[in-house]
Structure formats: C-alpha cells, structure tokens
C-alpha cells in the first residue's frame, strides 16, 4: 500500500507539473475550439470510456457524427480522440492509465474516482452546470443531491436499480407465478425458484433458478429490504446506528442465500461469473432469473431473448421481495454518483469539454445520443420518428438519459419497450434515499479492507465453507479491522 501511495503521489505531481506548463493563466482555454464557421484547428478532446474504443465501429461513428453535429449546430470545432484500454477490469486499467501520467480530458469512471478527485485532478462541475443552457434542466432531484455532495462526477440517468427478470413462457408455466406477483414474500420467491428448477420448462433447463456476476450485490436488490436491510446504517432500538452488513438482519438474509445455494437454486459458479458469462447463462437457459439495470438494459435483454427463443420468450419483470422489513429494491445512494463522466482539471479544453456535455443535453444532442443514426435506428415519416427493432436491440445512450426527451421531431414509438418501462416504474415506486455518507479519507484504506472481509465471509457463509454460527466472529473481525471507528463516526454524523 505504501509503495502504491508513493507511485500515486509521484504520478500526480508529474501530471500537475505538466498541467502548469500547458494551461493558460486563469484556467481559460487557450484554444476554445469555437469558431462561427467551424474553421481553424479543432480542440482535441481525449476521452476514455468503457466499451467505447477505436475497435468499436459504432463508437467511432458516434463520435465522428458528434463532431459534425457540434460544428454544424453550435460552431464548436472539436476532434475526439478515443483512448483504448487493455481488456480486463476497466477500473483497474483506467487506474493504471492515470497513474502512468495520461489524463484524458473526459474520463468515464466506474469506481476509483474518489482517490483521483482527492488529488484535485477532477474539475468541480458546479459552476458549469449553473451556467449551462440545457444540462441544468434535465437533472433529476437525485442527480442534484449527488452533485451537491460530490461535484466531480456527472451521470444523468433515471433511477435504475437492478431488477429481476424471467422468460414469460417459463413464468406462465409455473403454478407459483400468480402467488409471486400478488404477494412476493420471501417464501413465495423460494417456492417459485424451486418450481422452476424442478419443472425445467425449457426442455431440461434451467439448471438453477438464479445467477449473479461475482458476488451477491445484484441479488441483494431483490431481497435486502424484505430482510429489513433498507439502509446502510440501521437504527437500533437504543437509537444508535449499526452497519447493516454486521446486523442480525444480514445474518438472516445470508441464511436464506445459503438455503438457495444448498438446494441448487443459486448458481454454484456465481462467484466466478462475470457480467458477460452471467448473461450468457441466462440466454442459454442455464439460469431462469437474472437482474439487469432497469430501463434500456432490460429492453436489450428482452430483445436478445426473443431473438433466441421467439416471441413467447419475452421477459417478465418480477417485483422486489416483501418481508417484515418492507418491500423495495434497497435505498438509493445519494452521496455521489457511483459511475459517470468527469472532466480533468488539468485539461486545456475544460470549457469545450463541458460544452459537449451541454450540447448532448439539448434537443439536437439528445436526438443523436438517445435515438442513434437516422436510417439505421429510426426513420422519419410524416413528421414523426419511428424507432425500429435495431434501436431496441442495440442502441443505448452514451451520455445523458433523462426521463423525458425533448425532440424537435415528435416520437411515434416509445423510447423503451414494455419490460424496460415497467422496471423503471417499479424503481420510482419503491424509491427511498439511503443514509450513507462519503467515507472520509482517513478511513478509506480500512473501509476497503472491511468490505473485502465482508465479501470473503459472506461468500463462505453462502457456500457453506463457514457455518453461520460463526457470524459473530465476522462481526468481531469487522470491528477490529476499523469497523468500531467508522461506526462511531456514523453515530456522530448521521442526523
């Protein structure tokens, strides 16, 4: 850790020194890239973005089209340079890129941003948003709350927890499906999972009812609230707070997960699954139920499943489980965006980068970002936009996705299909705010170790490597690893 910290400090100092020689006084863009006729040298914006590299032809076309649209509509002369990362963990490879001294102008983070912002290397977007023409008008309340708390990461998307889905033809073949939809208790979920595996409605499939990608976080969206895990910090009878993952509620939930695992209802390889192998197991029918991000991702799953299984394989969105603790997909973190786009504070083109952000929030920008390419993903006929099957099965917004789209041409067909729309409606119906907080810098190293400790113990509890009678040992280990101090901080600061 000390060696990594020293590398980080050295790299950051080098980047700051480089920035000092390249930025003009006062932070103004020396080459604003804005000319009335789009002439002159363009401002080059380097952008690093998961899955959006030079090997992706759709990405290349999107950013080339965006360059042309910015010039024609706004007189902004810009050239995007896509930064490629090696295959593997995006967060890890991005960290290596930044530690190596390469800081793109626009950076997509999927974790790991806080250590970068703590070094002053990400731009505070507050004044930009306040002075924006379009962006400030498309932000949802949860976006605004997160930006007030942590103004470095922007991600204008609807509330989108992970929601469970199952094939409609398999769902309709189950005797327990009606009870699940009318009263989605933990017991009714268990009965539904068990019937799926016993009946195997897919000619010998599924092999198991439920899978996940690497850990139980995706499954928690279904069951946390039902077990009373409706906040990061649970208020006890004496008025003090305890961390939810060391509570008796957590022990009860892990006991249920262990039951699913022992009965063959939970994928025995869920620990080693990645997002792509998880989805592959679903499409092949090995898994009956997976969770996907509410909205467009659910529609993509729906389109792909119908391609493979026919129209009867359309997806049914399942409700969150209900229990003594309530019902919901868990509390929403409003401390900061968990992922999103940032602008480097060392960029020579910060103003231009934000102008790109603002344009993509405009009606014309939304036409490209939300709808794709005319003639490929939609057609305009009789003054209306009609989205086609390629849009529903392929296209997704790379930047902003507000609930409502402003378009100069009205939409004849809805942006989302039925399952995507239903998932978002459920997310809105069960929305509650979490009471967590941004972990102070002095606790970050311990916090990471404590989370790893939880993952290790919870996995062993679920798979039976450790007996749940040892749960108190985990709590003691968690407290000794720094949990006692962070719990005291929580009790001093949660209002």
């Amino acid at each position: 850790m000390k060696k990594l910290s020293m590398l980080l400090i050295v790299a950051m100092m080098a980047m700051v020194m480089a920035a000092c020689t390249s930025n003009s006084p006062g932070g103004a863009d020396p080459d604003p890239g804005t000319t009335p006729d789009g002439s002159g040298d363009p401002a080059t914006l380097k952008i690093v973005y998961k899955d959006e590299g030079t090997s992706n032809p759709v990405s290349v076309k999107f950013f080339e089209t965006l360059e042309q649209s910015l010039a024609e509509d706004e007189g902004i002369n810009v050239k995007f340079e896509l930064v490629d990362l090696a295959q593997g963990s995006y967060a890890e490879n991005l960290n290596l890129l930044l530690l190596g001294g390469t800081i793109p102008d626009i950076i997509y983070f999927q974790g790991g941003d806080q250590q970068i912002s703590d070094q002053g290397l990400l731009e505070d977007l507050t004044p930009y948003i306040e002075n924006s023409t379009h962006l400030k008008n498309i932000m949802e309340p949860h976006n605004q709350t997160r930006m007030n708390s942590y103004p470095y990461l922007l991600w204008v998307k609807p509330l989108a927890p992970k929601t469970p889905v199952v094939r409609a033809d398999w769902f309709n073949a189950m005797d327990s499906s009606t009870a699940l939809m009318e009263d989605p208790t933990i017991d009714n979920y268990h009965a539904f999972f068990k019937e799926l595996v016993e009946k195997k409605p897919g000619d010998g499939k599924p092999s198991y009812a439920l899978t996940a990608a690497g850990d139980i976080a995706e499954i928690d969206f279904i069951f946390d609230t039902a077990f009373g895990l409706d906040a990061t910090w649970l208020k006890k009878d004496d008025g003090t707070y305890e961390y939810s993952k060391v509570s008796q509620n957590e022990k009860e939930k892990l006991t249920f997960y262990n039951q699913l695992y022992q009965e063959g209802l939970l994928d025995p390889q869920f620990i080693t699954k990645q997002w792509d192998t998880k989805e592959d197991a679903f499409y092949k029918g090995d898994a009956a139920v997976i969770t996907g991000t509410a909205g467009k991702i659910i529609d993509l799953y729906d389109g792909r499943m119908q391609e493979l299984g026919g129209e009867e394989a359309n997806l049914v969105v399942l409700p969150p489980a209900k229990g003594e603790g309530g019902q919901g997909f868990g509390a929403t973190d409003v401390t900061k965006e968990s992922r999103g786009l940032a602008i480097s504070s060392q960029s020579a083109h910060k103003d231009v980068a934000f102008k790109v952000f603002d344009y993509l929030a405009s009606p014309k920008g939304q036409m490209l970002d939300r709808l794709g390419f005319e003639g490929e993903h939609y057609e305009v006929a009789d003054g209306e936009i009609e989205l086609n099957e390629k849009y529903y099965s392929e296209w997704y917004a790379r930047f902003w996705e507000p609930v409502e789209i402003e378009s100069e041409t009205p939409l004849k067909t809805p942006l989302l299909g039925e399952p995507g729309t239903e998932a978002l409606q459920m997310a809105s119906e069960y929305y509650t705010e979490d009471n967590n907080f941004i972990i102070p810098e002095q606790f970050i190293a311990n916090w990471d170790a404590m989370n790893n400790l939880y993952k290790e113990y919870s996995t062993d509890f679920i798979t039976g490597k450790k007996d749940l009678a040892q749960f108190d040992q985990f709590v003691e280990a968690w407290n000794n690893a720094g949990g006692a101090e962070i719990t005291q901080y929580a009790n001093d600061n949660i209002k």
Side-chain angles (χ1 to χ4, degrees), residues 293-446:
T293 305
K296 184 63 180 179
I297 297 300
I298 295 295
D299 277 349
L300 293 175
Y301 287 176
D302 183 59
R304 178 61 175 157
M305 188 59 85
Q306 289 189 62
E307 285 180 12
L308 297 170
E311 292 183 4
E312 292 184 352
N314 64 296
L315 298 186
V316 173
V317 181
L318 302 176
K322 181 171 67 173
E324 292 183 5
Q327 185 179 14
F329 292 113
T332 300
D333 182 357
V334 292
T335 57
K336 64 186 290 292
E337 301 291 352
S338 60
R339 64 180 65 194
L341 289 149
I343 295 175
S344 166
S345 63
Q346 312 309 309
S347 170
H349 306 298
K350 292 178 287 190
D351 289 345
V352 176
F354 190 82
K355 286 177 182 177
V356 173
F357 284 5
D358 200 33
Y359 173 75
L360 286 161
S362 71
K364 288 184 177 179
Q366 282 282 285
M367 282 276 290
L368 170 62
D369 196 22
R370 299 293 293 280
L371 307 183
F373 308 129
E374 184 176 357
E376 198 170 332
H377 300 102
Y378 68 90
E379 305 288 345
V380 178
D382 299 325
E384 292 183 311
I385 295 171
E386 186 166 0
L387 304 171
N388 60 31
E389 286 303 317
K390 191 173 183 181
Y391 166 82
Y392 287 110
S393 63
E394 174 184 283
W395 191 259
Y396 56 90
R398 281 147 177 82
F399 286 82
W400 318 134
E401 198 172 354
V403 176
E404 301 294 335
I405 179 174
E406 288 187 29
S407 172
E408 295 180 340
T409 307
L411 288 169
K412 181 179 181 181
T413 47
L415 282 172
L416 292 175
E418 185 176 339
T421 300
E422 185 176 357
L424 284 180
Q425 288 172 344
M426 281 192 190
S428 178
E429 178 183 354
Y430 293 110
Y431 171 72
T432 58
E433 290 188 1
D434 203 352
N435 62 358
N436 62 333
F437 46 83
I438 294 177
I439 302 300
E441 187 174 1
Q442 67 268 29
F443 295 127
I444 287 178
N446 283 350

Side-chain angles (χ1 to χ4, degrees), residues 193-205:
F193 288 164
K194 192 170 184 178
E195 187 181 6
L196 279 165
V197 173
E198 289 177 350
K199 279 192 172 180
K200 298 189 181 301
D203 295 328
K205 294 184 176 183

Side-chain angles (χ1 to χ4, degrees), residues 7-82:
L7 286 171
L8 181 63
I9 292 170
V10 170
M12 297 307 177
M13 289 178 64
M15 289 183 276
V16 171
M17 291 176 65
C20 290
T21 61
S22 62
N23 278 356
S24 61
D29 286 346
D31 177 11
T34 306
T35 55
D37 59 358
S39 62
D41 294 332
T44 298
L45 293 178
K46 291 185 177 181
I47 179 168
V48 59
Y49 203 145
K50 186 176 183 291
D51 301 325
E52 308 295 338
T54 57
S55 63
N56 184 341
V58 180
S59 299
V60 173
K61 183 175 180 179
F62 172 82
F63 283 100
E64 288 177 348
T65 305
L66 180 57
E67 290 171 1
Q68 182 178 354
S69 299
L70 285 163
E72 292 176 354
D73 298 336
E74 301 293 332
I76 299 174
N77 194 4
V78 63
K79 177 71 177 176
F80 291 102
E81 184 178 315
L82 301 181

